[in-house]
Amino acid sequence: MAAFLLPLVLLISLLGITGVQSIGVCYGKNGNDLPSETEVVGLYRSNNIGRMRIYHPDKPTLEALRGSNIELILGAANDNLQSLANDASAAATWVRDNVVAYASNVKIKYIAVGNEVHPGDANARYVLPAMQNIQTAITSANLQGQIKVSTAIDTTLLGNSFPPSAGVFSGAASSYIGPIINFLASNGAPLLTNVYTYFSYVDNPQSISLEYALFTSPGVVVTDGQFQYQNLFDALMDALYAALEKSGGANLQIVVSESGWPSEGSNVATAANAGTYHKNLINHVKQGTPRRSGQAIETYLFAMFDENLKAAGIEQHFGLFRPNKENKYQITFG
């Protein structure tokens, strides 16, 4: 029997049958010791990682993805937002060169127009018009049924997150995120959100237990009406859902476009904790949250590799794999 299992796994990988799992991995390139793009795509496939996020249209990566059947979040970087917003022809050119040129055999699923742009940032006013111009170009290319246009936020846009049912966007964020929510709803696109229980824990260890952040609490920690919470990830997600409901986005889906735990750089950034977090997260997102029970959450782990050109400390240690392609933890992605 065992002799037939490996060919079957390979066949599933080759055919790109990835719908049975919801885990992707973000691929950053801020390192000078990383493997080639072709090797990276091979590493995704050999580990049955069916989804990838990249942060800008990196041509070697896009070329390596041709024919791989890996679903992709393609980023439009923050420093491009102004030109994409102010010039519809620039957005059309961006889509032609980075999307249409690859769409026949690269499975681009979402375009993330900006990453973690905050309401007070200089680029904030460009996010929505850039999304609109990209959407127009996607529609002109007749790709609107295949590719959804969104943006990636983080949970700091919440003005309140406890209890989860009281989740609401901050006053500063409401005027920024409200029109974006309307855009997403009208185009059937999800909201991409970066969710890190690590940062929530280290910012408030007096009120949050490590077990609650790592999915290892032995029992219910928070009861909120009819809903019970045994882990912080669910609580943050449901606070976001509650905030969306209050902002006209009750039907929006959330795609977790980043979530991870560093393996070095602080007293709780250890390989053991990181391995625990990632394994538990992979298992947990299949079942949804109390507020959205039974709805698997499309989730992208951050990140594929340690990146040595990032700021010293924890930022260099989010990788699931070392640059030599050795895995830090035994994880089953599929």
Side-chain angles (χ1 to χ4, degrees):
M1 184 69 176
F4 295 98
L5 293 178
L6 182 58
L8 179 60
V9 170
L10 290 175
L11 177 63
I12 290 172
S13 177
L14 289 169
L15 291 175
I17 304 171
T18 60
V20 295
Q21 55 89 31
S22 57
I23 294 298
V25 180
C26 302
Y27 171 35
K29 298 183 69 176
N30 290 325
N32 59 15
D33 56 356
L34 299 178
S36 72
E37 294 80 9
T38 301
E39 289 178 275
V40 171
V41 171
L43 192 60
Y44 271 72
R45 297 182 73 182
S46 65
N47 283 277
N48 198 28
I49 303 170
R51 295 181 171 123
M52 177 189 289
R53 180 185 180 186
I54 60 175
Y55 292 86
H56 61 93
D58 181 65
K59 302 294 185 184
T61 302
L62 289 167
E63 290 294 337
L65 283 167
R66 289 191 188 273
S68 68
N69 285 306
I70 293 171
E71 293 181 346
L72 182 67
I73 300 178
L74 173 63
N78 292 355
D79 56 9
N80 286 339
L81 294 176
Q82 183 174 356
S83 64
L84 294 173
N86 290 341
D87 186 354
S89 65
T93 299
W94 191 95
V95 169
R96 181 196 69 198
D97 293 348
N98 303 312
V99 180
V100 176
Y102 297 95
S104 64
N105 56 6
V106 176
K107 297 181 73 171
I108 301 170
K109 189 175 186 182
Y110 309 119
I111 297 175
V113 181
N115 182 57
E116 296 188 353
V117 178
H118 297 133
D121 293 352
N123 279 324
R125 60 183 172 142
Y126 302 122
V127 174
L128 181 59
M131 293 171 70
Q132 292 167 330
N133 285 344
I134 293 288
Q135 181 68 55
T136 297
I138 290 291
T139 302
S140 296
N142 199 31
L143 292 170
Q144 70 275 14
Q146 173 186 336
I147 300 169
K148 298 300 182 183
V149 178
S150 187
T151 189
I153 68 166
D154 62 38
T155 55
T156 66
L157 269 62
L158 290 171
N160 185 51
S161 60
F162 185 85
S165 62
V168 64
F169 292 110
S170 69
S174 291
S175 58
Y176 166 70
I177 198 68
I180 290 173
I181 290 169
N182 293 336
F183 170 90
L184 297 175
S186 64
N187 289 286
L191 177 64
L192 309 180
T193 307
N194 302 340
V195 180
Y196 287 92
T197 68
Y198 171 82
F199 291 115
S200 297
Y201 168 73
V202 297
D203 287 345
N204 193 13
Q206 298 84 7
S207 302
I208 299 171
S209 73
L210 182 60
E211 292 76 17
Y212 192 52
L214 289 173
F215 299 90
T216 57
S217 292
V220 172
V221 176
V222 172
T223 297
D224 180 17
Q226 63 180 310
F227 302 122
Q228 295 183 320
Y229 294 89
Q230 201 165 337
N231 65 82
L232 179 58
F233 178 86
D234 277 353
L236 288 171
M237 287 291 292
D238 277 359
L240 280 164
Y241 281 124
L244 286 174
E245 290 165 10
K246 297 178 179 75
S247 303
N251 295 323
L252 284 191
Q253 295 296 314
I254 295 174
V255 169
V256 176
S257 44
E258 290 181 14
S259 190
W261 194 284
S263 60
E264 293 181 43
S266 78
N267 63 322
V268 294
T270 66
N273 285 344
T276 296
Y277 180 80
H278 291 119
K279 291 173 189 174
N280 288 335
L281 179 66
I282 289 169
N283 289 328
H284 185 76
V285 295
K286 301 170 187 174
Q287 64 195 53
T289 70
R291 208 173 186 90
R292 295 286 190 276
S293 181
Q295 298 181 22
I297 305 163
E298 186 174 340
T299 300
Y300 293 74
L301 306 183
F302 186 86
M304 195 66 173
F305 300 105
D306 285 345
E307 298 171 64
N308 65 358
L309 297 182
K310 286 192 163 187
I314 63 165
E315 292 296 331
Q316 295 182 342
H317 300 289
F318 274 92
L320 302 172
F321 293 85
R322 297 183 176 87
N324 65 2
K325 299 192 290 184
E326 289 181 358
N327 55 330
K328 289 186 191 172
Y329 336 102
Q330 293 297 322
I331 296 177
T332 300
F333 296 92

